[in-house]
Amino acid sequence: MNLRLYDTYTRSVRDFEPLNPGEVGLYTCGPTVYDYAHIGNLRTYIFEDILKRVLSLNGYQVKHVMNITDVGHLTSDADEGEDRMEKGSRRTGMTAWEIADLYTQEFRKDLQRLNIIEPTVWCRATDHIAEQVAMIQCIEEKGFTYKTSDGVYFDTSKLQDYGTLGRLDIEGLQAGARIEMGEKHHPTDFALWKFSPPGQKRQMEWDSPWGTGFPGWHIECSAMSAKYLGPLFDIHCGGEDHITVHHTNEIAQTEACYGTRLANFWMHGYFLQIDEARMGKSVGNFLRVQTLIERGYDPLAWRMFCLNAHYRAKLNFTWDGLDGAATSLERLRNTVFDWGAPGEVDGEFQQKFLETVNDDLNMPRAIALTWELVKSGLPEATKKATILLFDQVLGLRLAEWRPTEETIPEAIITLVQQRQQARQEKRWKDADILRDQVTGAGYEIEDTPQGPRLRRKKQKVT
Ligand code: AMP
Ligand code: ZN
């Protein structure tokens, strides 16, 4: 019954105990706002939302902090290439500040569409330059930095357990390092502060004790998480790609400055793939929530698709899979709607559900349990109350859903009424002919205990 979660740091499922009774500090790495989020990114945010909802179901008060990366994230995670924001600015013809605002708004819209609960605290990297400079100074005072011609770097050889989270083979990396190391002393060293290129004015740059420039990507998360949650907090999340570089470096910074671990649990969502390749801009397989909407899907079908896989398994995207998720969602919604008013929650199902989600967020099993509840012989009012409780975690907006009242042409309604009449009079052949006419016009009739329900046939997209 205890909440058990997989911790990447120890590579094991452990009992979750909060550092402070009743409260959980949760930090999730947020988007780099140089472009729209794709449904792969959003898979990670859905996983984090499920985690948060499960923590709440267990009675914890969750303080959730999410950053907005609007500076410092270079095109390569290893401090090379150009700033993604400057690149996005060139692509769109807008300023870096304008695209940061635009894509932050778009991101929040996606969260709402997927019923992802917003964080308690949003924090933008560019609003916390002073905190980042102060933390770099702290790391410098402890003797972990050196300066090169292009920035201030963290000397990873000075930290005994550097790379533990990612199980990095430091010696192997050292041996494999070649010329691209530039002036770095070790291949794993990383930038804390980068200087603006000589003779060039960046759109986003600030003065610092070391020279004009901008913070590295990793320092923002260490500085802002410390500000809002303290140097050591309960759970830190992100996508699996963050394990070896970004989170490894966040840990190094916090250990160097504060001498503490950064988080008690490290949790990572595994990637969404498409045709076995990582979803990303460069690969040309970039799907947005907006793309799904334009193709006639409810955004929550995407949430349903994600719930069918465990967060620690890679997930392959297919349109057939999405169709399947959309159909189950629709079935579930219609069923739940027909159940009418909720009664009392069924204790046994409640218990089983809690055990399932507490077993490292086993959502595929939680969905199976949901269908078990649907098929069970319990009274409808009991089922309704129980499923609404499940939905506190599933987040499928089952309570709010109403069958869509799209305008159905008069002629179709007349045909349906004539068919009802024919059925009552047991003129089965006539009823069948009328049904065929309705289907031919692009509508489906579903006979429910409450009478026939009519809806437009879904258009198949390829
Ligand atoms: P970014 O905006 O690139 O900083 O990424 C935002 C979040 O999405 C991070 O937690 C990434 O680890 C995660 N992410 C990136 N690509 C994928 C993917 N294909 N599937 C799942 N999560 C991803
Ligand atoms: Zn981060």
Side-chain angles (χ1 to χ4, degrees):
M1 188 68 165
N2 269 352
L3 174 56
R4 292 173 61 76
L5 299 171
Y6 183 83
D7 169 28
T8 309
Y9 202 91
T10 55
R11 303 285 192 277
S12 64
V13 176
R14 300 199 281 126
D15 273 343
F16 176 77
E17 284 294 340
L19 298 169
N20 298 307
E23 294 170 12
V24 176
L26 171 68
Y27 187 92
T28 58
C29 289
T32 308
V33 285
Y34 69 117
D35 204 336
Y36 294 105
H38 58 63
I39 58 170
N41 300 133
L42 290 158
R43 180 190 185 201
T44 294
Y45 298 108
I46 290 172
F47 138 64
E48 293 161 348
D49 185 55
I50 297 290
L51 168 65
K52 187 162 137 184
R53 288 165 178 266
V54 168
L55 288 164
S56 301
L57 190 71
N58 280 273
Y60 297 117
Q61 195 71 38
V62 183
K63 181 169 182 186
H64 175 201
V65 179
M66 192 186 308
N67 64 304
I68 299 277
T69 301
D70 56 357
V71 69
H73 193 174
L74 304 188
T75 44
S76 134
D77 282 357
D79 303 318
E80 273 151 71
E82 63 179 318
D83 191 316
R84 295 182 192 214
M85 298 304 293
E86 306 264 341
K87 196 173 168 193
S89 159
R90 267 213 322 276
R91 191 190 73 238
T92 55
M94 290 186 274
T95 67
W97 299 97
E98 283 166 348
I99 61 167
D101 273 351
L102 169 68
Y103 294 123
T104 301
Q105 290 317 316
E106 289 295 323
F107 178 68
R108 293 181 67 176
K109 202 154 97 189
D110 283 342
L111 297 189
Q112 277 155 19
R113 285 162 158 178
L114 294 169
N115 202 18
I116 293 173
I117 301 168
E118 292 215 10
T120 328
V121 177
W122 283 109
C123 43
R124 279 195 302 204
T126 52
D127 288 338
H128 296 79
I129 300 296
E131 287 85 346
Q132 297 175 72
V133 167
M135 187 157 180
I136 299 169
Q137 282 177 307
C138 168
I139 298 168
E140 185 177 46
E141 280 158 24
K142 304 271 164 98
F144 286 90
T145 65
Y146 60 87
K147 223 171 135 171
T148 72
S149 64
D150 74 348
V152 178
Y153 283 80
F154 190 106
D155 185 342
T156 53
S157 71
K158 298 239 165 98
L159 201 67
Q160 259 240 294
D161 61 351
Y162 179 82
T164 303
L165 176 74
R167 304 292 190 265
L168 296 188
D169 168 15
I170 306 288
E171 277 165 23
L173 285 169
Q174 195 89 34
R178 300 247 194 294
I179 203 89
E180 65 268 20
M181 235 171 76
E183 293 173 57
K184 286 203 296 194
H185 298 179
H186 314 94
T188 46
D189 292 354
F190 58 92
L192 295 164
W193 187 264
K194 281 260 210 184
F195 301 134
S196 296
Q200 197 180 315
K201 178 142 181 59
R202 282 171 46 94
Q203 294 181 43
M204 292 175 156
E205 60 180 22
W206 296 265
D207 289 335
S208 83
W210 312 279
T212 303
F214 58 100
W217 171 38
H218 318 299
I219 194 72
E220 67 172 271
C221 288
S222 290
M224 295 193 287
S225 63
K227 172 165 178 174
Y228 295 106
L229 297 171
L232 169 65
F233 54 89
D234 294 286
I235 309 177
H236 195 314
C237 297
E240 57 167 321
D241 57 326
H242 287 349
I243 299 171
T244 51
V245 180
H246 182 53
H247 289 169
T248 292
N249 293 344
E250 283 184 37
I251 291 173
Q253 295 164 151
T254 295
E255 287 191 356
C257 174
Y258 298 109
T260 67
R261 290 184 299 142
L262 174 52
N264 195 16
F265 276 78
W266 287 88
M267 295 181 68
H268 295 94
Y270 279 66
F271 266 10
L272 176 78
Q273 303 182 317
I274 184 159
D275 301 328
E276 309 304 326
R278 172 181 174 165
M279 178 166 288
K281 264 252 122 116
S282 47
V283 209
N285 60 6
F286 191 97
L287 291 173
R288 292 169 49 200
V289 169
Q290 182 63 31
T291 326
L292 306 189
I293 293 172
E294 282 162 13
R295 291 197 176 198
Y297 292 92
D298 183 315
L300 290 181
W302 176 241
R303 190 173 171 107
M304 188 74 172
F305 185 96
C306 294
L307 293 179
N308 283 318
H310 195 269
Y311 76 91
R312 274 196 294 122
K314 288 201 200 292
L315 177 59
N316 205 48
F317 177 84
T318 62
W319 289 103
D320 281 348
L322 186 61
D323 280 344
T327 308
S328 343
L329 177 63
E330 196 167 312
R331 252 182 64 209
L332 194 60
R333 284 168 157 175
N334 286 332
T335 309
V336 172
F337 179 76
D338 289 343
W339 284 341
E344 298 265 325
V345 171
D346 179 76
E348 213 171 298
F349 268 103
Q350 177 179 19
Q351 177 77 9
K352 270 200 224 160
F353 186 79
L354 190 63
E355 277 167 19
T356 306
V357 297
N358 278 2
D359 176 15
D360 191 28
L361 320 179
N362 195 336
M363 298 318 290
R365 250 181 44 213
I367 293 289
L369 189 69
T370 305
W371 291 114
E372 244 176 70
L373 172 70
V374 168
K375 289 184 198 125
S376 75
L378 291 170
E380 292 188 347
T382 310
K383 294 207 251 190
K384 177 91 167 213
T386 312
I387 211 155
L388 294 185
L389 177 89
F390 289 10
D391 203 38
Q392 288 177 20
V393 174
L394 305 178
L396 297 170
R397 293 200 175 116
L398 295 177
E400 292 121 83
W401 194 78
R402 300 283 172 278
T404 34
E405 290 170 18
E406 53 179 342
T407 39
I408 293 165
E410 273 304 313
I412 305 286
I413 294 173
T414 311
L415 286 174
V416 175
Q417 284 166 348
Q418 287 172 352
R419 174 176 171 268
Q420 274 307 90
Q421 188 70 27
R423 277 160 59 92
Q424 268 158 26
E425 293 165 9
K426 302 201 183 336
R427 291 184 284 112
W428 304 116
K429 250 214 185 93
D430 289 345
D432 283 349
I433 294 169
L434 287 158
R435 176 185 208 121
D436 287 347
Q437 287 176 353
V438 171
T439 319
Y443 290 85
E444 272 173 337
I445 302 179
E446 190 196 350
D447 291 305
T448 75
Q450 283 74 31
R453 180 161 29 227
L454 198 60
R455 59 170 168 257
R456 196 190 289 279
K457 276 196 282 189
K458 202 162 160 35
Q459 279 172 16
K460 183 97 183 150
V461 275
T462 46

